[in-house]
Amino acid sequence: MFLSPKQKRCWVPIPQSPFLPRCVWGMTWLWSLLLLGLSLGKGAWGKPPPDAGAPHSSRVHQQALLSEAKHDDAHGDFQFDHEAFLGREAAREFDQLSPAESKERLGRIVDRMDRDGDGDGWVSLEELRAWIAHTQQRHIRDSVASAWDTYDTDRDGRVGWGELRNITYGHYQPGEEFSDVEDADTYKKLLARDERRFRAADQDGDLQATREEFTAFLHPEEFPHMRDIVIAETLEDLDRNGDGYVQVDEYIADLYSPEPDGGEEPAWVQTERQQFRDFRDLNGDGHLDGSEVGHWVLPPAQDQPLVEANHLLQESDTDKDGRLSKQEILGNWNMFVGSQATNYGEDLTRHHDEL
């Protein structure tokens, strides 16, 4: 997409991410988004009412629950297992199926789990865990799919850095980048930041992103090898004095905009300051370094798919050999069907190169 100089000044396409809309109108909004976290989420959008509680920081990547339902197998309620194994939408679909059709579709899923693993005729704990994790990440794959055709302009099955740069920022001759834009420095910073993230996602270094690498670019918080990029971008967003650390006032500024007249801070702001001292600043030196920022925005999390996979295996492994046969899974179909591994619908008709 070619942008004229006038268009470049008023319309700025932004790489699709889980945190921002596809484009941002106006340089004022662009600069605000840059300061508040272009890729890692927005901070405060104005002062909340005095009695409002502390806002949830969208910088923190919290692992989504497999299901909001209560895990209550003891009373015959398998809704949690269904949504964990199938995904929530597919679980609702399976609720409408007859037992015979549910079992038939579950059988196809079992074949798929084994085929995507080692194909030995059994479903191992790791294969079951991989399937559950796969269904839980469907929304991420869908967001990548919606962006793929836009950025893979030459239709070669890769998104090159040049393709992404040109679609996002417009075509420029070497040395003329943003020469027709008033705030060229802002665009140059954004471009450099995107290139750094792209190179981190591009693990083989060929500047051609596979779908998996492109997913890491758009959703770095989901990939362990992108952790340093998430931390670096967060530090850049919050470190206003440029000392390489996040001071408590910089941390608060991301959450709260005080009144111009300097009115008293709400109680929740004082609570956040205490949270910073007690739980964010782990070594007590008065600021956050990269390690502490990582602990904050990418907190350690339980491997929920593994926990659920263990549960399903223990409940279905009748011969206690540590693996599941198709017969064992179908014999306990009521626990599985509607569960997270059974996102049947489109899933059985899609290509699954990402697993």
Side-chain angles (χ1 to χ4, degrees), residues 209-227:
T210 63
R211 191 174 288 261
E212 181 77 1
E213 291 170 336
F214 189 56
T215 303
F217 173 80
L218 294 183
H219 300 273
E221 72 287 347
E222 298 290 340
F223 292 80
H225 72 276
M226 298 294 287
R227 181 181 179 88

Side-chain angles (χ1 to χ4, degrees), residues 271-286:
T271 299
E272 281 296 322
R273 290 184 185 276
Q274 191 64 44
Q275 291 281 320
F276 181 94
R277 290 188 289 269
D278 292 346
F279 301 107
R280 306 279 183 251
D281 180 16
L282 300 178
N283 62 9
D285 62 2

Side-chain angles (χ1 to χ4, degrees), residues 8-143:
K8 287 194 183 88
R9 282 191 287 271
C10 69
W11 188 81
V12 184
I14 302 294
Q16 292 188 15
S17 80
F19 306 108
L20 288 180
R22 177 66 182 88
C23 62
V24 180
W25 289 90
M27 284 302 301
T28 300
W29 280 105
L30 173 64
W31 184 241
S32 297
L33 283 169
L34 176 63
L35 294 177
L36 293 172
L38 175 63
S39 300
L40 293 174
K42 62 182 181 299
W45 293 100
K47 186 175 184 299
D51 58 348
H56 170 69
S57 175
S58 58
R59 295 188 184 280
V60 180
H61 177 63
Q62 298 284 5
Q63 188 180 44
L65 296 175
L66 300 184
S67 170
E68 297 290 345
K70 184 178 180 181
H71 207 169
D72 192 18
D73 295 350
H75 293 88
D77 183 354
F78 301 125
Q79 187 63 29
F80 182 99
D81 300 299
H82 294 170
E83 292 184 2
F85 182 76
L86 288 173
R88 299 181 192 186
E89 291 183 12
R92 286 193 292 271
E93 177 187 346
F94 268 72
D95 286 343
Q96 309 304 314
L97 300 178
S98 68
E101 189 172 6
S102 293
K103 290 181 181 180
E104 190 273 331
R105 294 188 180 187
L106 176 59
R108 294 165 65 184
I109 291 171
V110 173
D111 293 339
R112 160 75 189 286
M113 285 191 289
D114 180 39
R115 184 172 66 249
D116 287 345
D118 55 20
D120 65 353
W122 303 86
V123 174
S124 67
L125 175 64
E126 181 51 39
E127 287 168 342
L128 185 54
R129 182 212 169 275
W131 176 259
I132 293 174
H134 171 74
T135 61
Q136 289 295 315
Q137 294 176 348
R138 180 165 287 103
H139 66 287
I140 293 176
R141 296 194 304 278
D142 288 346
S143 77

Side-chain angles (χ1 to χ4, degrees), residues 228-248:
D228 288 347
I229 287 294
V230 175
I231 292 171
E233 291 181 358
T234 305
L235 272 169
E236 290 167 358
D237 291 341
L238 300 186
D239 179 20
R240 298 188 178 189
N241 65 8
D243 66 352
Y245 299 97
V246 177
Q247 313 294 336
V248 64

Side-chain angles (χ1 to χ4, degrees), residues 13 83 94 118 151 270 289 304 341 349:
E83 292 184 2
F94 268 72
D118 55 20
Y151 290 100
Q270 295 300 321
D289 59 20
Q304 295 184 63
T349 63

